[in-house]
Amino acid sequence: MTSEAAFIRALRAIATDPAARGLTDDAAVLELGGARLVLTMDAICEDVHFLADDPPATVAWKLVATNVSDLAAKGAEPRGCLLSYALTDADAWNEAFLQGLQQACEFFAIPLLGGDTVRPKSGAGRNFALVAFGEPRARMPVPSRSGARSGDTLWLSAPVGDAGAGLALLQGKRQTDSPAQHQLVDRYRKPMPRVDLGVALAPYVTTMMDVSDGVLIDSERLASASELAAVIQLDKIPLSPAFAEVFGEDLEARLFAASAGDDYCLLFTAASDAAGALERVARNLHSTLYPVGHFMEGKGISLMFDDVAVATPDRLGFEH
Amino acid sequence: MTSEAAFIRALRAIATDPAARGLTDDAAVLELGGARLVLTMDAICEDVHFLADDPPATVAWKLVATNVSDLAAKGAEPRGCLLSYALTDADAWNEAFLQGLQQACEFFAIPLLGGDTVRPKSGAGRNFALVAFGEPRARMPVPSRSGARSGDTLWLSAPVGDAGAGLALLQGKRQTDSPAQHQLVDRYRKPMPRVDLGVALAPYVTTMMDVSDGVLIDSERLASASELAAVIQLDKIPLSPAFAEVFGEDLEARLFAASAGDDYCLLFTAASDAAGALERVARNLHSTLYPVGHFMEGKGISLMFDDVAVATPDRLGFEH
């Protein structure tokens, strides 16, 4: 039972309430009187979700942003959050974290409402958890991972790969002299989920989630929950100019971008005739949507590049 | 800024939303449409809130129970919880934890709705966080720490000191051959908050919280939030037969019981003429309430034993 997947299977046997959505979704959806509440909880650990020398303000930002990203994918507007903070004696670190927390809570309009501060025994790596809750718009559906239909188009709401590229640069796995490296590192440290976009897209999608582990693995999760197969056109994976400058735009670069994770943009399916409506929504919010594939009858994920089939890599993304 | 108190002061400058209750309460109270939601988050760390050799099922129980205890103190019925779990390779430990989690969720009728599983770097002590949310009864007030009036009686909903005694026995600070030791250890490991009692008492109290850090320090917190002074009659601190058998009933024993913490019973104030109503509520729920002091104009906490003033100890309770 050592893998996270096996542990979550065991949890699923406990989490039988309908609001838990079988733990297959990114958030719980609770009905209370006339209100609906979307709840999500994400923890981040040193050396797993952030690096020990990441600026503490960006660690706080990432903690808030990753949770807000889940709310955005459920079309929910943030209403509040609670923080579990592991306090150490590093005063300057704690203060900088709090500054980043305040900035992020203000930026994403998510008030901090409470939490718990604990002081773990020394030697433990830093780790923090945040719970965020939000409300979907009245009478609007809360998108889940299941519900796609064969023929639906698969969309991304932003270029991907920047954060993964930034991490590779920070880890020394790639080097560059380009000034674009700063932008890539910034994208790793400060995810920018788009709540406005998630809320506006929610009425039109058949499934939606945020990309945290990589486009390929997350697409497979949507397909699997919908009992369908996903076909991804790697040549359509959107790349930022900064990414293209440092990593290129060839098949290898696009495979990297589609399996790197930490993008925190939206991945969703919609009926093919919804394209016009989706693009109008995006234009109104000064954004662009990218069709990257489609769903069909079957199982698993297949990859294409310029209309040629490409072998699926062993590693589709990051499981953390 | 190294103390938890200083850190929370800094957090308070961020948590300015009214639902945060200034972070001086045990829970946030969120209004959503017609519904009200009480939210609380408690984390527990190895060697701080539980011992490394505590049975894993009881660690899970304690995590759920300490959060449910906060809901009970706010008169809120549990509606759900989210778990942040730090996964290690200790399969048997994880499985036993999950069994305890399921038992506790069923016992306290709090469905597990989601959460996050992370795998921290090795060497970190185990730590877990839980968020619990619940609903107060319609039109009923949600008790806070402030609002007591001079002359209010201070009440406890159960004998205290058992959990602290159990911890002292587990740590080898006290020894006994008495079979009562098992009951005391069990009370340390498996807190039994009473939601039914909290919900039923809520309409009658002027303040309410749960005793997590010790009766003395928690009474001082209620008094301070209400801008009053607390007078505690130590001879009225209720003790269980098991506690009395192993630790005695003298002043020292009662001071220990009132400053040990981990009791997770209810501590509240009410107008003196509410005593009859309170005792009827308790009787209907097969419970007993214990008046242990009163609030008056002034500041701080003073202790009496058989009508004689007793010096206030340096350590009023456990700050964790």
Side-chain angles (χ1 to χ4, degrees):
Chain A
M1 206 185 61
T2 50
S3 81
E4 180 175 344
F7 184 78
I8 290 171
R9 274 197 299 278
L11 273 177
R12 208 162 276 153
I14 303 177
T16 53
D17 190 283
R21 291 187 158 198
L23 302 187
T24 54
D25 210 332
D26 310 280
V29 183
L30 191 67
E31 309 229 354
L32 291 166
R36 287 176 303 165
L37 199 66
V38 174
L39 296 123
T40 180
M41 183 175 201
D42 271 320
I44 61 175
C45 302
E46 189 176 307
D47 292 340
V48 181
H49 305 86
F50 64 95
L51 304 175
D53 55 359
D54 276 342
T58 68
V59 176
W61 181 284
K62 186 177 278 192
L63 182 61
V64 175
T66 56
N67 278 281
V68 166
S69 181
D70 283 323
L71 295 182
K74 302 298 114 184
E77 283 167 339
R79 288 289 177 262
C81 62
L82 304 174
L83 169 72
S84 169
Y85 191 81
L87 193 62
T88 68
D89 289 332
D91 282 7
W93 208 98
N94 294 330
E95 278 170 36
F97 181 95
L98 285 181
Q99 282 167 13
L101 182 71
Q102 181 159 24
Q103 282 165 6
C105 287
E106 284 174 4
F107 183 85
F108 294 113
I110 184 164
L112 177 71
L113 299 186
D116 194 20
T117 305
V118 294
R119 191 183 278 279
K121 64 178 178 180
S122 58
R126 288 193 167 84
N127 67 84
F128 312 102
L130 194 91
V131 172
F133 33 95
E135 274 185 291
R137 292 236 172 118
R139 290 177 300 280
M140 287 296 137
V142 177
S144 75
R145 291 190 180 187
S146 61
R149 282 159 299 205
S150 178
D152 279 2
T153 307
L154 179 68
W155 297 82
L156 271 173
S157 69
V160 291
D162 285 12
L167 176 61
L169 291 166
L170 286 170
Q171 291 177 324
K173 293 181 182 170
R174 297 278 187 119
Q175 278 88 28
T176 180
D177 296 326
S178 163
Q181 65 179 303
H182 303 294
Q183 189 183 327
L184 298 174
V185 165
D186 195 56
R187 295 276 298 150
Y188 169 70
R189 288 179 171 159
K190 291 189 73 177
M192 297 293 274
R194 288 280 303 269
V195 170
D196 56 347
L197 206 50
V199 169
L201 290 171
Y204 302 96
V205 305
T206 51
T207 66
M208 186 152 65
M209 69 185 291
D210 68 324
V211 184
S212 59
D213 291 346
V215 172
L216 299 189
I217 196 166
D218 286 335
S219 298
E220 192 186 46
R221 286 168 179 159
L222 287 185
S224 164
S226 300
E227 298 182 349
L228 291 170
V231 181
I232 312 251
Q233 289 170 272
L234 288 170
D235 49 294
K236 297 217 177 149
I237 293 290
L239 303 176
S240 73
F243 180 92
E245 185 186 323
V246 180
F247 281 65
E249 303 179 83
D250 62 3
L251 172 60
E252 190 196 352
R254 285 178 202 270
L255 268 176
F256 176 90
S259 56
D262 285 330
D263 301 294
Y264 300 107
C265 62
L266 300 166
L267 177 71
F268 59 95
T269 54
S272 54
D273 60 10
L278 291 168
E279 285 170 338
R280 259 193 314 280
V281 163
R283 209 161 40 239
N284 286 340
L285 297 171
H286 311 289
S287 192
T288 308
L289 301 177
Y290 305 88
V292 296
H294 64 277
F295 278 15
M296 58 184 289
E297 299 294 336
K299 263 181 118 162
I301 183 168
S302 23
L303 308 181
M304 310 286 287
F305 189 78
D306 288 341
D307 297 327
V308 176
V310 171
T312 304
D314 290 338
R315 181 184 168 286
L316 293 180
F318 191 54
E319 294 196 62
H320 59 1
Chain B
M1 205 184 59
T2 50
S3 80
E4 179 174 345
F7 185 78
I8 291 171
R9 273 196 299 277
L11 273 178
R12 208 162 276 155
I14 303 176
T16 52
D17 191 282
R21 292 188 158 196
L23 302 187
T24 53
D25 210 333
D26 311 280
V29 183
L30 190 67
E31 310 229 353
L32 291 166
R36 287 177 302 166
L37 200 66
V38 175
L39 296 122
T40 181
M41 183 176 201
D42 271 320
I44 60 175
C45 302
E46 188 176 307
D47 292 341
V48 180
H49 304 86
F50 65 94
L51 304 175
D53 56 0
D54 277 341
T58 68
V59 176
W61 181 284
K62 185 177 279 192
L63 182 61
V64 175
T66 55
N67 278 281
V68 166
S69 181
D70 282 324
L71 295 182
K74 302 298 115 183
E77 282 166 343
R79 288 290 176 263
C81 63
L82 304 175
L83 168 72
S84 169
Y85 191 81
L87 192 62
T88 68
D89 288 333
D91 283 7
W93 207 98
N94 294 330
E95 279 171 35
F97 181 95
L98 285 181
Q99 283 168 12
L101 182 71
Q102 181 159 23
Q103 282 166 5
C105 287
E106 284 174 5
F107 183 85
F108 294 112
I110 185 165
L112 177 71
L113 298 185
D116 194 19
T117 305
V118 294
R119 190 183 280 277
K121 64 179 179 182
S122 59
R126 288 193 168 85
N127 67 84
F128 313 101
L130 195 91
V131 172
F133 32 96
E135 273 187 290
R137 293 235 170 119
R139 290 175 301 280
M140 286 298 138
V142 177
S144 76
R145 290 189 182 189
S146 61
R149 283 160 299 207
S150 176
D152 279 1
T153 306
L154 180 68
W155 297 82
L156 271 174
S157 70
V160 291
D162 285 11
L167 176 60
L169 291 167
L170 285 171
Q171 291 178 324
K173 293 181 181 170
R174 297 280 187 116
Q175 277 88 27
T176 179
D177 297 326
S178 163
Q181 66 179 304
H182 303 295
Q183 189 183 327
L184 299 174
V185 165
D186 195 55
R187 296 275 298 153
Y188 169 70
R189 290 179 171 158
K190 291 189 74 176
M192 298 292 274
R194 289 279 303 269
V195 170
D196 57 346
L197 206 50
V199 169
L201 291 171
Y204 301 97
V205 305
T206 52
T207 66
M208 187 153 64
M209 68 185 293
D210 68 323
V211 184
S212 58
D213 292 345
V215 172
L216 300 189
I217 197 166
D218 286 336
S219 298
E220 192 186 44
R221 287 168 179 157
L222 286 186
S224 164
S226 301
E227 298 182 348
L228 291 171
V231 181
I232 311 247
Q233 288 170 271
L234 289 170
D235 50 293
K236 296 217 177 149
I237 294 290
L239 302 176
S240 74
F243 181 93
E245 185 187 323
V246 179
F247 281 66
E249 301 179 85
D250 63 3
L251 173 60
E252 189 196 354
R254 285 178 201 269
L255 268 176
F256 176 90
S259 55
D262 286 328
D263 301 295
Y264 299 107
C265 61
L266 299 168
L267 177 71
F268 59 94
T269 54
S272 54
D273 60 10
L278 291 168
E279 284 169 340
R280 259 193 313 279
V281 163
R283 208 161 39 238
N284 285 341
L285 297 171
H286 311 289
S287 193
T288 308
L289 301 176
Y290 305 88
V292 295
H294 64 278
F295 278 17
M296 58 184 288
E297 298 294 336
K299 265 181 116 161
I301 183 167
S302 23
L303 308 181
M304 309 286 287
F305 189 79
D306 289 341
D307 297 324
V308 176
V310 171
T312 305
D314 291 337
R315 181 184 169 286
L316 294 179
F318 191 53
E319 293 195 63
H320 58 3

